[in-house]
Amino acid sequence: QVRLVESGGQLVQAGGSLRLSCEVSGRAFTKYAMGWFRQAPGKDRDFVAVLGWSEGRTDYADSVKGRFTISGDNAKNTVHLQMNSLKPEDTAVYYCVAGGTSSRYSYEYDYWGQGTQVTVSS
C-alpha cells in the first residue's frame, strides 16, 4: 500500500514562495507518476503539475507554468512543489497524487494524500 503525506502548506502573502513536500512510503516513488492537484472552496479539483519518471517529463497547468516547479528527491522518496510568485487565486488545498501514468485527469491517479492548505493573502 502506498501512503502519501503532504507538508509545507501555510499562510503566505501574495508574491511570496512556498515549498510543498510529499513523502511517499510503501513503494519507491520512481515507480509512479507523481503529481499535485488543488481544490479551492466551492470549486473542482484541478490539475497543477506532474512528474513522470518513466517518461522523463513534467507537465504544468497553464495557470502555474513559469511559477511552480515539481521535482523529486530519490534519496528521501519525496516529491516537492516549489511555488513562487504566489497569487491569491492559488489559495486551495493541495493534494499529492501517485499513479501509473502522468496525466492531467484526477481519475488516472490511484493514490491521494490528505492534502495541505495553502492560503495566499492579498
Side-chain angles (χ1 to χ4, degrees):
Q1 183 70 19
V2 175
R3 184 166 178 253
L4 309 177
V5 179
E6 304 98 333
S7 62
Q10 60 180 289
L11 173 65
V12 64
Q13 286 190 332
S17 297
L18 279 178
R19 188 175 82 154
L20 304 184
S21 297
C22 174
E23 185 174 354
V24 184
S25 61
R27 197 172 182 188
F29 78 109
T30 54
K31 300 289 186 183
Y32 297 94
M34 300 296 303
W36 291 89
F37 281 73
R38 67 186 182 185
Q39 187 167 23
K43 295 189 176 181
D44 293 334
R45 197 167 288 188
D46 293 331
F47 167 76
V48 175
V50 64
L51 172 62
W53 286 102
S54 60
E55 302 141 305
R57 64 181 287 264
T58 57
D59 189 23
Y60 298 91
D62 289 344
S63 59
V64 308
K65 200 171 293 183
R67 300 187 298 123
F68 291 11
T69 302
I70 188 170
S71 63
D73 185 337
N74 288 351
K76 297 183 178 180
N77 225 29
T78 301
V79 176
H80 301 290
L81 183 69
Q82 178 66 42
M83 305 187 295
N84 298 328
S85 302
L86 283 162
K87 305 174 182 179
E89 50 264 44
D90 295 318
T91 295
V93 176
Y94 283 71
Y95 296 91
C96 178
V97 298
T101 183
S102 58
S103 170
R104 294 188 171 204
Y105 300 102
S106 59
Y107 61 80
E108 298 273 17
Y109 293 92
D110 301 312
Y111 303 101
W112 290 72
Q114 291 300 306
T116 185
Q117 176 69 47
V118 172
T119 304
V120 184
S121 63
S122 56

